[in-house]
Amino acid sequence: LRDNAASIEGEDAAACCLQTCTKFSCPESMILRDGAKLITVVDGDATACCLPTCAGFTCPAGKVVRDEASSITGSDEATCCLQTCSGFTCPTGSILRANEATVTGFDETTCCLKTCCGFTCAAGMSLRADAASFTGFDEATCCSQTCTGFACPTGMMILASAAGIVGSDEETCCFKTCAGFTCPAGHALKTDVAGKAGSDVGTCCEKSGPMLQCNLNCFGESATPVPLPGGNGNGIPAGSIEMCRDFCMGTDGCEAIVYGQGMCYGKKDIRTSKCQPSDGSFKTEILTRAPYGTCILMGDPHVLTFDNPLGTIGDITQLAAGDYVLVDSDTLTIHGRYGFCERFPGESSLTGLSITGSIMKNQKLQFEYKGPDKGVSGFYASWNGADILSTMPGDFTSADGLVKGTKAFINPDDVHRQARHTIGGDVGSGDMP
């Protein structure tokens, strides 16, 4: 009602009343004044009915408008804005949150996150390269496994910088060395390259001489001929033994040479026990594969070694009773037991053998005379401690097929021309047990 209503004639709203702010629609970013129903509108003037709110206020950098801005009246920084983490300086070992521009506050707890910088990793691990910018403070988050302690396989070595290399596999942590490289035939590892990086012939290998050089002439049944370039197996001319060697090394299947009188012969499957002693005019060289060797143990005692199977330079006879190492290599060990018998009561003879080694998968084969019966019935054979070949004749094959044995009659003359010296009989008298 108008203030001077008592002096105004009339009975209609237009004459008697004034519009108030109660139903006034304030523009965006403004709200009705608290006493809107008592305030009259003058020509739609918003300022009479409305007050500005913080919703329309623009805060300076580093601050944001309060969440309830649309209900707060005001238009100044102090009323409308809150400080954010933007611009806060975190101490060493911490970084600002990624959303610092929208997080309100200005202290370390609110604004900062701890990083891996300063975390101590366990032995064999290293701090992440991005530790200063990576949030977290535990081993799983902050550390990476290094090559330190990684066991490289045979033929490889750990990198010198392993402690600083992240990884735990041979490709990352190891390098190939010449120790694991297999040189081709006719070559051998250089003496100084066991720990040297490399996996090729040029780096790791050098030409080698023969594995063996024997004063033997290995013709006929003692070896299989291998035709060399330009020949038919009957030899080719060669100006030197080195040239002959090269011919063999360049020929598939050639394992050895016989060289003499300017001629070169390729050979394989050399059997030294069947070669003939040479007067020096011919030499046999074993180049790529060890020959088949034969040694003879017989009599009271007579030992013909692998390099003297024909007894051309005498034999070993001075063995007292006892146990002896007969063969000792990386892959095979043979022990012999020498004792007295009725035939040779004052001179020892071989009465037992024990054979083992990696070539036999470290299993053991044994033969031994135990008596009391004389002859073959007094001998016993065993495989890994279990009796075998207990009947005559008899056959044995190990479960893995590694060893096969036969107990039977043989002709000693087929073994060696002096074999009957041990078990009796005359040459040509036939088989014996």
Side-chain angles (χ1 to χ4, degrees):
L1 198 63
R2 292 178 182 270
D3 290 339
N4 57 345
S7 60
I8 298 174
E9 293 183 1
E11 293 182 351
D12 57 275
C16 298
C17 301
L18 291 174
Q19 179 69 45
T20 68
C21 293
T22 302
K23 294 183 178 182
F24 188 80
S25 294
C26 294
E28 189 177 354
S29 301
M30 299 185 81
I31 58 174
L32 282 173
R33 294 177 182 271
D34 288 340
K37 65 180 181 179
L38 301 176
I39 301 171
T40 57
V41 178
V42 180
D43 297 328
D45 182 9
T47 57
C49 297
C50 307
L51 289 174
T53 67
C54 291
F57 187 76
T58 301
C59 294
K63 294 187 176 185
V64 292
V65 175
R66 294 178 182 272
D67 290 339
E68 66 277 20
S70 61
S71 62
I72 299 174
T73 56
S75 57
D76 59 276
E77 181 180 335
T79 304
C80 299
C81 303
L82 290 175
Q83 179 70 48
T84 67
C85 290
S86 182
F88 185 79
T89 302
C90 294
T92 302
S94 297
I95 57 173
L96 275 175
R97 293 178 179 273
N99 58 343
E100 79 275 8
T102 60
V103 177
T104 56
F106 208 70
D107 60 272
E108 182 180 343
T109 302
T110 305
C111 299
C112 305
L113 292 173
K114 197 168 187 61
T115 68
C116 290
C117 183
F119 184 79
T120 302
C121 295
M125 305 189 83
S126 68
L127 202 61
R128 299 175 63 107
D130 57 353
S133 60
F134 203 86
T135 56
F137 208 71
D138 59 272
E139 187 167 281
T141 304
C142 298
C143 306
S144 300
Q145 180 69 48
T146 69
C147 290
T148 300
F150 181 76
C152 295
T154 302
M156 303 185 83
M157 289 183 67
I158 197 83
L159 291 165
S161 55
I165 299 175
V166 174
S168 57
D169 60 274
E170 65 183 64
E171 184 176 350
T172 305
C173 302
C174 311
F175 66 91
K176 287 184 178 180
T177 69
C178 289
F181 184 72
T182 301
C183 294
H187 293 76
L189 281 176
K190 296 177 181 177
T191 56
D192 58 344
V193 295
K196 184 175 182 180
S199 58
D200 60 275
V201 174
T203 304
C204 302
C205 308
E206 59 188 0
K207 276 192 172 183
S208 63
M211 296 170 62
L212 293 171
Q213 188 178 74
C214 310
N215 195 32
L216 297 173
N217 194 339
C218 296
F219 280 91
E221 63 177 356
S222 63
T224 302
V226 176
L228 298 177
N232 58 5
N234 294 322
I236 60 173
S240 66
I241 196 168
E242 290 80 15
M243 184 182 296
C244 181
R245 228 178 267 150
D246 289 341
F247 284 139
C248 180
M249 297 305 302
T251 303
D252 287 342
C254 190
E255 300 171 354
I257 58 169
V258 174
Y259 179 76
Q261 300 178 0
M263 293 296 291
C264 177
Y265 303 85
K267 301 289 179 179
K268 67 178 181 178
D269 299 331
I270 297 280
R271 286 168 168 77
T272 54
S273 63
K274 296 184 178 182
C275 298
Q276 298 300 311
S278 173
D279 60 3
S281 58
F282 285 89
K283 290 186 182 297
T284 295
E285 285 192 351
I286 311 300
L287 301 180
T288 65
R289 182 185 176 202
Y292 293 96
T294 300
C295 66
I296 307 294
L297 308 169
M298 59 189 179
D300 55 346
H302 294 276
V303 179
L304 300 177
T305 56
F306 287 109
D307 57 352
N308 183 37
L310 302 179
T312 54
I313 54 174
D315 57 28
I316 299 172
T317 62
Q318 304 303 315
L319 286 179
D323 293 343
Y324 293 85
V325 177
L326 304 179
V327 175
D328 186 17
S329 75
D330 292 339
T331 59
L332 183 66
T333 300
I334 302 178
H335 290 181
R337 175 163 291 174
Y338 280 82
F340 302 110
C341 64
E342 184 176 292
R343 183 176 177 83
F344 300 111
E347 299 167 314
S348 67
S349 298
L350 185 69
T351 60
L353 281 175
S354 177
I355 308 168
T356 188
S358 61
I359 197 173
M360 300 173 63
K361 299 180 180 178
N362 296 314
Q363 301 177 90
K364 185 180 288 186
L365 180 65
Q366 290 182 301
F367 307 92
E368 185 179 6
Y369 176 76
K370 295 182 179 180
D373 295 344
K374 296 179 182 179
V376 67
S377 60
F379 277 86
Y380 293 85
S382 67
W383 174 246
N384 294 327
D387 288 345
I388 59 172
L389 299 173
S390 57
T391 61
M392 177 71 174
D395 292 291
F396 168 75
T397 300
S398 62
D400 56 8
L402 184 65
V403 169
K404 295 182 178 181
T406 298
K407 187 177 185 179
F409 287 81
I410 64 168
N411 187 340
D413 301 334
D414 292 338
V415 178
H416 196 274
R417 63 176 181 266
Q418 298 183 34
R420 291 185 186 274
H421 184 69
T422 303
I423 59 178
D426 298 322
V427 174
S429 59
D431 292 350
M432 296 189 69

